[in-house]
Amino acid sequence: MWQSAALGHEDPPAAVQVPLTGRKTLRLMVERAGPGSLPTLASWADAVLSCR
């Protein structure tokens, strides 16, 4: 549905607007941001979902 570019520690949060009409689940996923041995991390601790 939606994919962001890789964000760094100093980057602001990415705003996302996607239609969820008729959906029963929402999956938040993180994929490897690049080569190397360091892990790719994600934080959705302050995520806000609103239904209008």
Side-chain angles (χ1 to χ4, degrees), residues 3-20:
Q3 184 175 356
S4 75
L7 300 175
H9 177 68
E10 298 292 326
D11 292 327
V16 179
Q17 291 184 1
V18 294
L20 298 176

Side-chain angles (χ1 to χ4, degrees), residues 1 3 5 7-11 17-20 23-24 26-28 30-32 34 36 41-42 47 50-52:
M1 293 185 108
Q3 184 175 356
L7 300 175
H9 177 68
E10 298 292 326
D11 292 327
Q17 291 184 1
V18 294
L20 298 176
R23 304 288 180 174
K24 293 182 180 182
L26 174 65
R27 182 179 297 179
L28 303 175
V30 62
E31 296 176 343
R32 182 174 290 281
L41 305 174
S50 65
C51 300
R52 298 179 198 178

